[in-house]
Each structure stands twice: as structure tokens, then as C-alpha cells.
Coordinates of all heavy atoms in Angstrom, one line a residue:
M205 N -67.6 -96.3 -17.9 CA -67.8 -95.4 -16.8 C -68.8 -96.1 -15.8 O -69.8 -96.7 -16.2 CB -68.5 -94.1 -17.3 CG -68.5 -93.0 -16.3 SD -69.1 -91.5 -16.9 CE -68.1 -91.1 -18.2
S206 N -68.4 -96.0 -14.5 CA -69.2 -96.7 -13.5 C -70.5 -96.0 -13.3 O -70.7 -94.8 -13.6 CB -68.4 -96.8 -12.2 OG -68.4 -95.6 -11.6
S207 N -71.5 -96.7 -12.6 CA -72.8 -96.1 -12.3 C -72.6 -94.9 -11.3 O -73.3 -93.9 -11.4 CB -73.8 -97.1 -11.8 OG -73.3 -97.7 -10.6
K208 N -71.6 -95.0 -10.4 CA -71.3 -93.9 -9.5 C -70.9 -92.7 -10.2 O -71.3 -91.6 -9.9 CB -70.2 -94.4 -8.5 CG -70.7 -94.5 -7.1 CD -69.5 -94.8 -6.2 CE -69.9 -94.8 -4.8 NZ -68.8 -95.3 -3.9
E209 N -70.0 -92.9 -11.2 CA -69.5 -91.8 -12.0 C -70.6 -91.2 -12.8 O -70.7 -89.9 -12.9 CB -68.4 -92.2 -12.9 CG -67.1 -92.6 -12.2 CD -66.0 -93.2 -13.1 OE1 -66.4 -94.0 -14.0 OE2 -64.8 -93.0 -12.9
N210 N -71.5 -92.0 -13.4 CA -72.6 -91.5 -14.1 C -73.5 -90.7 -13.2 O -74.0 -89.6 -13.7 CB -73.4 -92.6 -14.8 CG -72.8 -93.2 -16.0 OD1 -72.0 -92.4 -16.7 ND2 -73.0 -94.4 -16.4
A211 N -73.7 -91.1 -12.0 CA -74.6 -90.4 -11.1 C -74.0 -89.1 -10.7 O -74.7 -88.1 -10.7 CB -74.9 -91.3 -9.9
A212 N -72.7 -89.0 -10.5 CA -72.0 -87.8 -10.1 C -72.1 -86.8 -11.3 O -72.4 -85.6 -11.1 CB -70.6 -88.1 -9.8
I213 N -71.9 -87.3 -12.5 CA -71.9 -86.4 -13.7 C -73.4 -85.9 -13.8 O -73.6 -84.7 -14.1 CB -71.4 -87.1 -14.9 CG1 -69.9 -87.3 -14.8 CG2 -71.8 -86.3 -16.2 CD1 -69.4 -88.2 -15.9
G214 N -74.3 -86.8 -13.6 CA -75.7 -86.4 -13.7 C -76.1 -85.3 -12.7 O -76.8 -84.3 -13.1
Q215 N -75.6 -85.4 -11.5 CA -75.9 -84.4 -10.5 C -75.3 -83.1 -10.8 O -75.9 -82.0 -10.7 CB -75.3 -84.9 -9.1 CG -76.2 -85.9 -8.4 CD -75.6 -86.2 -7.0 OE1 -74.5 -86.8 -6.9 NE2 -76.2 -85.7 -6.0
L216 N -74.0 -83.1 -11.3 CA -73.4 -81.8 -11.7 C -74.1 -81.2 -12.9 O -74.4 -80.0 -12.8 CB -71.9 -82.1 -12.0 CG -71.1 -80.8 -12.4 CD1 -71.1 -79.8 -11.4 CD2 -69.7 -81.2 -12.8
L217 N -74.4 -82.0 -13.9 CA -75.1 -81.4 -15.1 C -76.5 -80.9 -14.7 O -76.9 -79.9 -15.2 CB -75.2 -82.4 -16.2 CG -73.9 -82.8 -16.9 CD1 -74.1 -83.9 -17.9 CD2 -73.2 -81.6 -17.5
S218 N -77.1 -81.5 -13.8 CA -78.5 -81.1 -13.4 C -78.3 -79.7 -12.7 O -79.1 -78.8 -13.0 CB -79.1 -82.1 -12.4 OG -80.3 -81.6 -11.9
L219 N -77.3 -79.5 -11.9 CA -77.1 -78.2 -11.3 C -76.8 -77.1 -12.4 O -77.3 -76.0 -12.4 CB -76.0 -78.3 -10.3 CG -75.5 -76.9 -9.7 CD1 -76.6 -76.3 -8.9 CD2 -74.3 -77.1 -8.8
L220 N -75.8 -77.5 -13.3 CA -75.4 -76.5 -14.3 C -76.4 -76.2 -15.3 O -76.3 -75.2 -16.0 CB -74.1 -77.0 -14.9 CG -72.9 -77.2 -13.9 CD1 -71.7 -77.7 -14.7 CD2 -72.6 -75.8 -13.3
E221 N -77.4 -77.1 -15.5 CA -78.4 -76.9 -16.5 C -79.4 -75.9 -16.0 O -80.2 -75.4 -16.8 CB -79.1 -78.2 -16.9 CG -78.3 -79.1 -17.7 CD -78.9 -80.5 -17.9 OE1 -79.9 -80.9 -17.2 OE2 -78.5 -81.2 -18.8
S222 N -79.5 -75.6 -14.7 CA -80.4 -74.6 -14.2 C -80.1 -73.3 -14.9 O -79.0 -72.9 -15.1 CB -80.2 -74.5 -12.7 OG -80.5 -75.7 -12.1
R223 N -81.2 -72.6 -15.3 CA -81.1 -71.4 -16.0 C -80.1 -70.4 -15.3 O -80.3 -70.1 -14.1 CB -82.4 -70.7 -16.2 CG -82.4 -69.6 -17.1 CD -83.7 -69.1 -17.4 NE -83.6 -67.9 -18.3 CZ -84.5 -67.5 -19.1 NH1 -85.6 -68.1 -19.2 NH2 -84.3 -66.5 -19.9
Y224 N -79.1 -69.9 -16.0 CA -78.1 -68.9 -15.6 C -77.0 -69.5 -14.6 O -76.1 -68.7 -14.3 CB -78.8 -67.7 -14.9 CG -79.6 -66.9 -15.8 CD1 -81.0 -66.9 -15.7 CD2 -79.1 -66.0 -16.8 CE1 -81.8 -66.2 -16.6 CE2 -79.8 -65.3 -17.6 CZ -81.2 -65.3 -17.5 OH -82.0 -64.6 -18.3
A225 N -77.1 -70.7 -14.2 CA -76.1 -71.3 -13.3 C -74.7 -71.1 -13.9 O -73.8 -70.6 -13.2 CB -76.4 -72.7 -12.9
I226 N -74.5 -71.6 -15.1 CA -73.2 -71.5 -15.7 C -72.8 -70.0 -15.9 O -71.6 -69.7 -15.7 CB -73.1 -72.2 -17.0 CG1 -73.2 -73.7 -16.8 CG2 -71.8 -71.9 -17.8 CD1 -73.3 -74.6 -18.0
R227 N -73.7 -69.2 -16.2 CA -73.4 -67.8 -16.4 C -73.0 -67.1 -15.1 O -72.1 -66.2 -15.1 CB -74.6 -67.0 -17.1 CG -74.7 -67.5 -18.5 CD -75.9 -66.9 -19.2 NE -75.8 -65.4 -19.3 CZ -76.7 -64.7 -19.9 NH1 -77.8 -65.2 -20.3 NH2 -76.5 -63.4 -19.9
V228 N -73.6 -67.5 -14.0 CA -73.2 -67.0 -12.7 C -71.7 -67.4 -12.4 O -70.9 -66.5 -12.0 CB -74.1 -67.4 -11.6 CG1 -73.6 -67.1 -10.2 CG2 -75.5 -66.8 -11.8
L229 N -71.4 -68.7 -12.6 CA -70.1 -69.1 -12.4 C -69.1 -68.4 -13.3 O -68.0 -68.0 -12.9 CB -70.0 -70.6 -12.6 CG -70.4 -71.5 -11.5 CD1 -70.5 -73.0 -12.0 CD2 -69.5 -71.4 -10.3
W230 N -69.5 -68.3 -14.6 CA -68.6 -67.7 -15.6 C -68.3 -66.2 -15.2 O -67.2 -65.7 -15.4 CB -69.2 -67.9 -17.0 CG -68.2 -67.7 -18.1 CD1 -68.1 -66.7 -19.0 CD2 -67.2 -68.7 -18.4 NE1 -67.0 -67.0 -19.8 CE2 -66.5 -68.2 -19.5 CE3 -66.8 -69.9 -17.9 CZ2 -65.4 -68.8 -20.1 CZ3 -65.7 -70.6 -18.5 CH2 -65.1 -70.0 -19.6
A231 N -69.3 -65.5 -14.7 CA -69.1 -64.1 -14.3 C -68.1 -64.0 -13.2 O -67.5 -62.9 -13.0 CB -70.5 -63.5 -13.9
L232 N -67.9 -65.0 -12.4 CA -67.0 -65.0 -11.3 C -65.6 -65.6 -11.6 O -64.8 -65.7 -10.7 CB -67.6 -65.7 -10.1 CG -68.9 -65.1 -9.5 CD1 -69.5 -66.0 -8.5 CD2 -68.6 -63.7 -8.9
R233 N -65.4 -66.0 -12.8 CA -64.2 -66.7 -13.2 C -62.9 -66.0 -13.0 O -61.8 -66.6 -12.8 CB -64.3 -67.2 -14.7 CG -64.1 -66.2 -15.7 CD -64.4 -66.7 -17.1 NE -64.3 -65.7 -18.1 CZ -65.2 -64.8 -18.4 NH1 -66.4 -64.8 -17.8 NH2 -65.0 -63.9 -19.4
D234 N -62.9 -64.7 -13.0 CA -61.6 -63.9 -12.8 C -61.1 -64.0 -11.4 O -60.0 -63.5 -11.1 CB -61.8 -62.5 -13.3 CG -62.7 -61.7 -12.6 OD1 -63.3 -62.1 -11.6 OD2 -62.9 -60.5 -12.9
G235 N -61.9 -64.5 -10.5 CA -61.5 -64.6 -9.1 C -61.7 -63.4 -8.2 O -61.5 -63.4 -7.0
H236 N -62.3 -62.3 -8.8 CA -62.6 -61.1 -8.1 C -64.0 -61.2 -7.5 O -64.9 -61.5 -8.2 CB -62.4 -59.9 -9.0 CG -61.1 -59.6 -9.4 ND1 -60.5 -60.3 -10.4 CD2 -60.1 -58.7 -9.0 CE1 -59.2 -59.9 -10.6 NE2 -59.0 -58.9 -9.8
P237 N -64.1 -60.8 -6.2 CA -65.5 -60.8 -5.6 C -66.4 -59.8 -6.3 O -66.0 -58.8 -6.8 CB -65.2 -60.4 -4.2 CG -63.8 -60.4 -3.9 CD -63.1 -60.4 -5.3
Q238 N -67.7 -60.2 -6.3 CA -68.7 -59.3 -6.9 C -69.9 -59.2 -6.0 O -70.3 -60.2 -5.4 CB -69.2 -59.8 -8.3 CG -68.2 -59.8 -9.4 CD -68.8 -60.1 -10.7 OE1 -69.9 -59.8 -11.0 NE2 -68.0 -60.8 -11.6
T239 N -70.4 -57.9 -5.8 CA -71.6 -57.7 -5.0 C -72.7 -58.3 -5.8 O -72.6 -58.6 -7.0 CB -71.8 -56.2 -4.8 OG1 -72.0 -55.6 -6.1 CG2 -70.7 -55.6 -4.1
F240 N -73.9 -58.4 -5.1 CA -75.1 -59.0 -5.7 C -75.4 -58.2 -7.0 O -75.6 -58.7 -8.0 CB -76.2 -59.0 -4.7 CG -77.5 -59.6 -5.3 CD1 -77.7 -61.0 -5.1 CD2 -78.4 -58.8 -6.0 CE1 -78.9 -61.5 -5.6 CE2 -79.6 -59.4 -6.5 CZ -79.8 -60.8 -6.3
R241 N -75.4 -56.9 -6.9 CA -75.8 -56.0 -8.0 C -74.8 -56.1 -9.1 O -75.2 -56.2 -10.3 CB -75.9 -54.6 -7.5 CG -76.2 -53.6 -8.6 CD -77.5 -53.9 -9.3 NE -78.4 -52.9 -8.9 CZ -79.7 -53.1 -9.3 NH1 -80.1 -54.1 -9.9 NH2 -80.6 -52.2 -8.9
H242 N -73.5 -56.2 -8.8 CA -72.5 -56.3 -9.9 C -72.6 -57.6 -10.6 O -72.5 -57.7 -11.8 CB -71.1 -56.1 -9.3 CG -70.1 -56.0 -10.3 ND1 -69.0 -56.8 -10.3 CD2 -70.0 -55.2 -11.5 CE1 -68.2 -56.5 -11.4 NE2 -68.8 -55.5 -12.1
L243 N -72.9 -58.7 -9.8 CA -73.1 -60.0 -10.4 C -74.3 -60.1 -11.2 O -74.3 -60.6 -12.3 CB -73.2 -61.1 -9.2 CG -73.2 -62.5 -9.6 CD1 -72.0 -62.9 -10.5 CD2 -73.3 -63.4 -8.4
Q244 N -75.4 -59.4 -10.8 CA -76.6 -59.3 -11.6 C -76.3 -58.7 -13.0 O -76.7 -59.1 -14.0 CB -77.7 -58.6 -10.9 CG -79.0 -58.6 -11.6 CD -80.1 -57.9 -10.9 OE1 -79.9 -57.2 -9.9 NE2 -81.3 -58.1 -11.3
D245 N -75.5 -57.6 -12.9 CA -75.2 -56.9 -14.2 C -74.2 -57.7 -15.0 O -74.4 -57.7 -16.3 CB -74.5 -55.5 -13.8 CG -75.4 -54.5 -13.2 OD1 -76.7 -54.7 -13.3 OD2 -74.9 -53.5 -12.6
S246 N -73.3 -58.4 -14.4 CA -72.4 -59.3 -15.1 C -73.1 -60.4 -15.9 O -72.7 -60.7 -17.0 CB -71.3 -59.9 -14.2 OG -70.5 -58.9 -13.6
V247 N -74.1 -61.0 -15.2 CA -74.8 -62.1 -15.8 C -75.7 -61.6 -16.9 O -75.8 -62.1 -18.0 CB -75.6 -62.9 -14.8 CG1 -76.5 -63.9 -15.4 CG2 -74.6 -63.6 -13.8
G248 N -76.4 -60.5 -16.7 CA -77.3 -59.8 -17.6 C -78.6 -60.6 -17.8 O -78.6 -61.8 -18.0
G249 N -79.7 -59.9 -17.7 CA -81.0 -60.4 -18.0 C -81.5 -61.3 -16.9 O -82.6 -61.9 -17.0
I250 N -80.9 -61.4 -15.8 CA -81.3 -62.3 -14.7 C -82.1 -61.5 -13.6 O -81.7 -60.4 -13.3 CB -80.1 -63.1 -14.0 CG1 -80.6 -64.2 -13.1 CG2 -79.2 -62.1 -13.4 CD1 -79.5 -65.1 -12.6
T251 N -83.2 -62.0 -13.2 CA -84.0 -61.3 -12.2 C -83.3 -61.5 -10.8 O -82.6 -62.5 -10.6 CB -85.4 -61.8 -12.1 OG1 -85.4 -63.2 -11.7 CG2 -86.1 -61.7 -13.5
P252 N -83.6 -60.6 -9.9 CA -83.0 -60.8 -8.5 C -83.5 -62.1 -7.9 O -82.7 -62.8 -7.2 CB -83.6 -59.6 -7.8 CG -83.8 -58.6 -8.8 CD -84.3 -59.3 -10.0
N253 N -84.7 -62.5 -8.1 CA -85.2 -63.8 -7.5 C -84.4 -65.0 -8.1 O -84.0 -65.9 -7.3 CB -86.7 -63.9 -7.8 CG -87.3 -65.1 -7.0 OD1 -87.0 -65.3 -5.9 ND2 -88.2 -65.8 -7.7
T254 N -84.2 -65.0 -9.4 CA -83.5 -66.1 -10.0 C -82.1 -66.1 -9.6 O -81.5 -67.2 -9.3 CB -83.6 -66.0 -11.6 OG1 -85.0 -66.1 -11.9 CG2 -82.8 -67.1 -12.2
L255 N -81.4 -64.9 -9.5 CA -80.1 -64.8 -9.0 C -79.9 -65.4 -7.6 O -79.0 -66.1 -7.3 CB -79.5 -63.4 -9.2 CG -78.1 -63.2 -8.7 CD1 -77.1 -64.2 -9.5 CD2 -77.6 -61.8 -8.9
N256 N -80.9 -65.0 -6.8 CA -80.9 -65.5 -5.4 C -80.9 -67.0 -5.3 O -80.2 -67.6 -4.6 CB -82.0 -64.9 -4.6 CG -81.7 -63.6 -3.9 OD1 -80.6 -63.4 -3.4 ND2 -82.7 -62.7 -3.8
T257 N -81.8 -67.6 -6.2 CA -81.9 -69.0 -6.2 C -80.7 -69.7 -6.7 O -80.2 -70.6 -6.1 CB -83.1 -69.4 -7.1 OG1 -84.3 -68.8 -6.6 CG2 -83.3 -70.9 -7.2
R258 N -80.0 -69.1 -7.8 CA -78.8 -69.7 -8.3 C -77.7 -69.6 -7.3 O -76.9 -70.5 -7.1 CB -78.4 -69.1 -9.6 CG -79.2 -69.4 -10.8 CD -79.4 -70.9 -11.1 NE -80.7 -71.0 -11.7 CZ -81.8 -71.5 -11.2 NH1 -81.8 -71.9 -9.9 NH2 -82.9 -71.5 -11.8
I259 N -77.6 -68.5 -6.6 CA -76.5 -68.3 -5.6 C -76.7 -69.3 -4.5 O -75.8 -69.9 -4.1 CB -76.6 -66.8 -5.0 CG1 -76.0 -65.8 -6.1 CG2 -75.8 -66.7 -3.7 CD1 -76.2 -64.4 -5.7
K260 N -77.9 -69.5 -4.0 CA -78.2 -70.4 -3.0 C -77.8 -71.8 -3.4 O -77.1 -72.6 -2.7 CB -79.7 -70.4 -2.6 CG -80.1 -71.4 -1.5 CD -81.5 -71.4 -1.3 CE -81.9 -72.5 -0.2 NZ -83.2 -72.8 -0.2
E261 N -78.2 -72.2 -4.6 CA -77.8 -73.6 -5.1 C -76.3 -73.7 -5.3 O -75.7 -74.8 -4.9 CB -78.5 -73.8 -6.5 CG -80.0 -73.9 -6.4 CD -80.7 -73.9 -7.7 OE1 -80.1 -73.6 -8.8 OE2 -81.9 -74.2 -7.7
L262 N -75.6 -72.7 -5.8 CA -74.2 -72.8 -6.1 C -73.4 -72.8 -4.7 O -72.4 -73.4 -4.6 CB -73.7 -71.7 -7.0 CG -74.3 -71.9 -8.5 CD1 -74.0 -70.6 -9.3 CD2 -73.6 -73.1 -9.1
R263 N -74.0 -72.1 -3.8 CA -73.3 -72.1 -2.4 C -73.5 -73.4 -1.7 O -72.6 -73.9 -1.1 CB -73.9 -70.9 -1.6 CG -73.4 -69.5 -2.0 CD -74.0 -68.5 -1.1 NE -73.2 -68.5 0.2 CZ -73.5 -67.6 1.1 NH1 -74.4 -66.7 1.0 NH2 -72.8 -67.7 2.3
E264 N -74.7 -74.0 -1.9 CA -74.9 -75.3 -1.3 C -74.0 -76.4 -1.9 O -73.6 -77.3 -1.3 CB -76.4 -75.7 -1.4 CG -77.3 -74.9 -0.5 CD -78.8 -75.2 -0.7 OE1 -79.2 -76.0 -1.7 OE2 -79.6 -74.7 0.0
A265 N -73.7 -76.2 -3.2 CA -72.9 -77.1 -3.9 C -71.4 -76.8 -3.7 O -70.5 -77.5 -4.2 CB -73.2 -77.0 -5.4
E266 N -71.1 -75.7 -2.9 CA -69.8 -75.3 -2.5 C -68.9 -74.9 -3.7 O -67.7 -75.1 -3.8 CB -69.1 -76.4 -1.7 CG -69.8 -76.6 -0.4 CD -69.1 -77.6 0.5 OE1 -68.1 -78.3 0.1 OE2 -69.7 -77.8 1.6
L267 N -69.6 -74.3 -4.7 CA -68.9 -73.8 -5.9 C -68.7 -72.3 -5.8 O -67.7 -71.8 -6.4 CB -69.7 -74.1 -7.2 CG -69.9 -75.6 -7.5 CD1 -70.8 -75.8 -8.7 CD2 -68.5 -76.3 -7.7
I268 N -69.5 -71.6 -5.0 CA -69.3 -70.2 -4.8 C -69.5 -70.0 -3.3 O -70.1 -70.8 -2.6 CB -70.2 -69.2 -5.6 CG1 -71.6 -69.4 -5.2 CG2 -70.0 -69.4 -7.1 CD1 -72.5 -68.3 -5.8
T269 N -69.0 -68.9 -2.8 CA -69.1 -68.5 -1.4 C -69.3 -67.0 -1.4 O -69.2 -66.3 -2.4 CB -67.9 -68.9 -0.6 OG1 -68.2 -68.7 0.8 CG2 -66.6 -68.2 -1.0
H270 N -69.6 -66.5 -0.2 CA -69.7 -65.0 0.0 C -68.7 -64.5 1.0 O -68.7 -65.1 2.1 CB -71.1 -64.7 0.5 CG -71.4 -63.2 0.5 ND1 -71.2 -62.4 1.6 CD2 -71.9 -62.4 -0.5 CE1 -71.5 -61.1 1.3 NE2 -71.9 -61.1 0.0
G271 N -67.9 -63.6 0.6 CA -66.9 -63.1 1.5 C -67.2 -61.6 1.9 O -68.3 -61.1 1.6
N272 N -66.3 -60.9 2.5 CA -66.5 -59.5 2.9 C -66.8 -58.6 1.7 O -67.5 -57.6 1.9 CB -65.3 -59.0 3.6 CG -65.0 -59.7 4.9 OD1 -66.0 -60.2 5.5 ND2 -63.8 -59.7 5.4
K273 N -66.2 -58.9 0.5 CA -66.4 -58.0 -0.6 C -67.4 -58.5 -1.6 O -67.6 -57.9 -2.7 CB -65.0 -57.8 -1.3 CG -64.1 -57.0 -0.3 CD -62.8 -56.8 -1.0 CE -61.8 -56.0 -0.1 NZ -60.6 -55.7 -0.7
G274 N -68.0 -59.7 -1.4 CA -69.0 -60.1 -2.3 C -68.9 -61.6 -2.6 O -68.2 -62.3 -1.9
Y275 N -69.5 -62.1 -3.7 CA -69.5 -63.5 -4.1 C -68.2 -63.8 -4.9 O -67.8 -63.0 -5.7 CB -70.7 -63.8 -4.9 CG -72.0 -63.6 -4.1 CD1 -72.7 -62.4 -4.2 CD2 -72.4 -64.6 -3.3 CE1 -73.9 -62.3 -3.4 CE2 -73.6 -64.5 -2.5 CZ -74.3 -63.3 -2.6 OH -75.4 -63.1 -1.8
L276 N -67.7 -65.0 -4.7 CA -66.5 -65.5 -5.4 C -66.6 -67.0 -5.5 O -67.3 -67.6 -4.7 CB -65.2 -64.9 -4.8 CG -64.8 -65.3 -3.4 CD1 -63.3 -65.2 -3.2 CD2 -65.6 -64.5 -2.4
V277 N -65.8 -67.5 -6.4 CA -65.8 -69.0 -6.5 C -64.9 -69.6 -5.4 O -63.9 -69.0 -5.0 CB -65.3 -69.4 -7.9 CG1 -66.2 -69.1 -9.0 CG2 -63.9 -68.9 -8.2
T278 N -65.3 -70.8 -5.0 CA -64.5 -71.6 -4.1 C -63.3 -72.3 -4.9 O -63.3 -72.2 -6.1 CB -65.3 -72.6 -3.4 OG1 -65.8 -73.5 -4.4 CG2 -66.5 -72.0 -2.7
P279 N -62.4 -72.9 -4.2 CA -61.4 -73.7 -4.9 C -62.1 -74.7 -5.8 O -61.6 -75.0 -6.9 CB -60.6 -74.3 -3.8 CG -60.6 -73.3 -2.7 CD -62.1 -72.8 -2.8
S280 N -63.1 -75.4 -5.3 CA -63.8 -76.3 -6.2 C -64.5 -75.7 -7.4 O -64.4 -76.2 -8.5 CB -64.9 -77.0 -5.3 OG -65.6 -78.0 -6.0
G281 N -65.0 -74.5 -7.2 CA -65.6 -73.8 -8.3 C -64.5 -73.3 -9.3 O -64.8 -73.4 -10.5
A282 N -63.4 -72.9 -8.8 CA -62.3 -72.6 -9.7 C -61.8 -73.8 -10.5 O -61.5 -73.7 -11.7 CB -61.1 -72.0 -8.9
D283 N -61.8 -75.0 -9.9 CA -61.4 -76.2 -10.6 C -62.4 -76.5 -11.7 O -62.0 -76.8 -12.8 CB -61.3 -77.3 -9.6 CG -60.8 -78.6 -10.2 OD1 -60.0 -78.6 -11.2 OD2 -61.3 -79.7 -9.7
L284 N -63.7 -76.3 -11.4 CA -64.7 -76.6 -12.4 C -64.5 -75.6 -13.6 O -64.6 -75.9 -14.7 CB -66.1 -76.4 -11.8 CG -67.3 -76.5 -12.8 CD1 -67.3 -77.9 -13.5 CD2 -68.6 -76.3 -12.1
L285 N -64.3 -74.3 -13.2 CA -64.1 -73.3 -14.3 C -62.9 -73.6 -15.1 O -62.9 -73.3 -16.4 CB -64.1 -71.9 -13.7 CG -65.4 -71.4 -13.2 CD1 -65.2 -70.1 -12.3 CD2 -66.3 -71.0 -14.3
K286 N -61.8 -74.1 -14.5 CA -60.6 -74.4 -15.3 C -61.0 -75.5 -16.3 O -60.6 -75.4 -17.5 CB -59.6 -74.9 -14.3 CG -58.3 -75.3 -15.0 CD -57.3 -75.8 -14.0 CE -56.1 -76.5 -14.7 NZ -55.4 -77.4 -13.8
R287 N -61.7 -76.5 -15.9 CA -62.1 -77.6 -16.8 C -63.1 -77.1 -17.8 O -63.1 -77.6 -19.0 CB -62.7 -78.7 -16.0 CG -61.7 -79.4 -15.1 CD -62.3 -80.3 -14.0 NE -61.3 -80.6 -13.0 CZ -60.4 -81.6 -13.1 NH1 -60.4 -82.3 -14.2 NH2 -59.6 -81.9 -12.1
M288 N -63.9 -76.1 -17.5 CA -64.8 -75.5 -18.5 C -64.1 -74.7 -19.5 O -64.5 -74.5 -20.6 CB -65.9 -74.6 -17.8 CG -66.9 -75.5 -17.0 SD -68.1 -74.5 -16.0 CE -68.8 -73.5 -17.3
G289 N -62.9 -74.2 -19.2 CA -62.0 -73.6 -20.1 C -61.7 -74.4 -21.3 O -61.6 -74.0 -22.4
D290 N -61.5 -75.7 -21.0 CA -61.2 -76.7 -22.1 C -62.5 -76.8 -23.0 O -62.3 -76.9 -24.2 CB -61.0 -78.1 -21.5 CG -59.6 -78.2 -20.8 OD1 -58.8 -77.3 -21.0 OD2 -59.5 -79.1 -19.9
L291 N -63.6 -76.7 -22.5 CA -64.9 -76.7 -23.2 C -64.9 -75.4 -24.1 O -65.4 -75.5 -25.3 CB -66.1 -76.7 -22.3 CG -67.4 -76.8 -23.0 CD1 -67.6 -78.1 -23.8 CD2 -68.5 -76.8 -21.9
S292 N -64.4 -74.3 -23.6 CA -64.4 -73.1 -24.4 C -63.5 -73.2 -25.6 O -63.9 -72.8 -26.7 CB -63.9 -71.9 -23.5 OG -63.8 -70.7 -24.2
A293 N -62.4 -73.8 -25.5 CA -61.5 -74.0 -26.6 C -62.2 -75.0 -27.6 O -62.1 -74.7 -28.8 CB -60.2 -74.6 -26.1
F294 N -62.8 -76.0 -27.2 CA -63.5 -76.9 -28.0 C -64.6 -76.2 -28.8 O -64.8 -76.3 -30.0 CB -64.1 -78.1 -27.3 CG -65.0 -79.0 -28.1 CD1 -64.5 -79.9 -28.9 CD2 -66.4 -78.8 -28.1 CE1 -65.3 -80.7 -29.7 CE2 -67.2 -79.5 -28.9 CZ -66.7 -80.5 -29.7
A295 N -65.4 -75.4 -28.1 CA -66.5 -74.6 -28.6 C -66.1 -73.7 -29.8 O -66.7 -73.6 -30.8 CB -67.3 -73.8 -27.6
T296 N -64.9 -73.1 -29.6 CA -64.4 -72.2 -30.6 C -64.1 -72.9 -31.9 O -64.4 -72.5 -33.0 CB -63.1 -71.4 -30.1 OG1 -63.5 -70.7 -28.9 CG2 -62.5 -70.5 -31.1
K297 N -63.4 -74.1 -31.7 CA -63.1 -74.9 -32.9 C -64.4 -75.4 -33.5 O -64.5 -75.4 -34.8 CB -62.2 -76.1 -32.5 CG -60.8 -75.7 -32.1 CD -60.0 -76.9 -31.7 CE -58.7 -76.6 -31.1 NZ -58.0 -77.7 -30.6
W298 N -65.3 -75.8 -32.7 CA -66.6 -76.4 -33.2 C -67.4 -75.4 -34.0 O -67.8 -75.6 -35.1 CB -67.4 -76.9 -32.1 CG -68.7 -77.5 -32.5 CD1 -68.9 -78.8 -33.0 CD2 -70.0 -76.9 -32.4 NE1 -70.2 -78.9 -33.3 CE2 -70.9 -77.8 -32.9 CE3 -70.4 -75.7 -31.9 CZ2 -72.3 -77.5 -33.0 CZ3 -71.8 -75.4 -32.0 CH2 -72.7 -76.3 -32.5
V299 N -67.5 -74.1 -33.5 CA -68.2 -73.1 -34.2 C -67.5 -72.8 -35.5 O -68.2 -72.6 -36.6 CB -68.3 -71.8 -33.3 CG1 -68.7 -70.6 -34.1 CG2 -69.2 -72.1 -32.2
A300 N -66.2 -72.7 -35.6 CA -65.5 -72.5 -36.8 C -65.8 -73.6 -37.9 O -66.0 -73.3 -39.0 CB -64.0 -72.4 -36.6
N301 N -65.8 -74.8 -37.4 CA -66.1 -75.9 -38.3 C -67.6 -75.9 -38.8 O -67.8 -76.2 -40.0 CB -65.9 -77.3 -37.6 CG -64.4 -77.6 -37.5 OD1 -63.6 -77.1 -38.3 ND2 -64.0 -78.4 -36.5
Q302 N -68.5 -75.5 -37.9 CA -69.9 -75.3 -38.3 C -70.0 -74.2 -39.4 O -70.8 -74.3 -40.3 CB -70.8 -75.0 -37.1 CG -70.8 -76.2 -36.1 CD -71.4 -77.4 -36.7 OE1 -72.5 -77.4 -37.3 NE2 -70.7 -78.5 -36.6
A303 N -69.3 -73.1 -39.2 CA -69.3 -72.0 -40.2 C -68.8 -72.5 -41.5 O -69.4 -72.0 -42.6 CB -68.5 -70.8 -39.6
K304 N -67.8 -73.3 -41.6 CA -67.3 -73.8 -42.8 C -68.3 -74.6 -43.5 O -68.4 -74.6 -44.8 CB -66.0 -74.6 -42.6 CG -64.8 -73.8 -42.2 CD -63.6 -74.7 -41.9 CE -62.5 -74.0 -41.3 NZ -61.4 -74.9 -40.9
K305 N -69.0 -75.4 -42.8 CA -70.0 -76.3 -43.4 C -71.2 -75.5 -44.1 O -71.7 -75.9 -45.1 CB -70.6 -77.2 -42.3 CG -69.7 -78.3 -41.9 CD -70.2 -79.1 -40.8 CE -71.6 -79.6 -40.9 NZ -72.0 -80.5 -39.8
T306 N -71.5 -74.3 -43.5 CA -72.6 -73.5 -44.0 C -72.2 -72.5 -45.1 O -73.0 -71.9 -45.7 CB -73.4 -72.8 -42.9 OG1 -72.5 -72.0 -42.2 CG2 -74.0 -73.8 -42.0
A307 N -70.9 -72.4 -45.2 CA -70.3 -71.4 -46.2 C -70.3 -71.9 -47.6 O -70.4 -73.0 -47.9 CB -68.9 -70.9 -45.8

């Protein structure tokens, strides 16, 4: 992997490692717009200040946007979520294997 690719991955992971960032994206994965309040409820446990910060960061990264009916993922955000779906399948298998080891 080139140093450019490493830097790009590092930047993306830095954004996604921010508290609740992935959960905000995940809450919008169905493609339906959500108001601020609904998004806060969907994420759960996030303060309005933290949600505002994450929304600002994710909008600057062009992963989410705000339309007439609320917040929704951009095409780039949808692409990321699609790729995260592969991670979900891996996580399911991984958890099952971990459970077998402890059983």
C-alpha cells in the first residue's frame, strides 16, 4: 500500500473514530431523511452538542447532507455504508467464532 493510500485511510479512520460518527452514519443507512431530533433518538445517548459536532464533521467530509426533510447520506456516504456492510458480515462471523472459543 502506498503512503498516499495509508494517509487516506488514516484520515477516514480518524473521522470515523470520533465518538458516535459511525452510529450517525449507520442511523442514516436506509436512505430516509431524519430530522435532528429523530437522528438523535436513532443514535441514542448522544448529546445535542456532540450530534451537532458530528453532523458538521460528516457534512464537511461530504458523507451526509441536509435536505428539505432532514439529514441524509450523500452518494459518497452511501458508498461507504455499502462497504461497511461487508464489515457487518465479517463481524457476525467473528462474534460466532469468538463464542465458540469461550463455550
Side-chain angles (χ1 to χ4, degrees):
M205 193 177 303
S206 74
S207 61
K208 245 184 176 176
E209 290 169 327
N210 281 336
I213 290 170
Q215 281 183 287
L216 178 61
L217 289 178
S218 179
L219 172 66
L220 296 178
E221 287 173 346
S222 298
R223 188 171 180 157
Y224 294 105
I226 291 176
R227 289 177 65 183
V228 170
L229 280 170
W230 201 251
L232 296 170
R233 73 187 178 280
D234 65 2
H236 294 76
Q238 292 188 33
T239 63
F240 184 90
R241 177 56 109 189
H242 189 235
L243 186 55
Q244 185 179 12
D245 291 343
S246 295
V247 172
I250 190 170
T251 65
N253 188 43
T254 300
L255 181 55
N256 271 323
T257 300
R258 291 304 153 256
I259 286 171
K260 180 182 176 198
E261 293 167 350
L262 293 168
R263 287 182 76 179
E264 287 173 356
E266 298 180 356
L267 296 175
I268 67 171
T269 190
H270 189 269
N272 293 336
K273 296 183 179 182
Y275 295 97
L276 63 159
V277 294
T278 62
S280 182
D283 184 31
L284 175 61
L285 286 166
K286 178 183 170 199
R287 294 166 194 275
M288 287 172 61
D290 293 338
L291 184 61
S292 178
F294 172 83
T296 301
K297 289 178 188 176
W298 180 78
V299 166
N301 286 334
Q302 294 300 307
K304 288 177 188 174
K305 284 172 51 175
T306 59

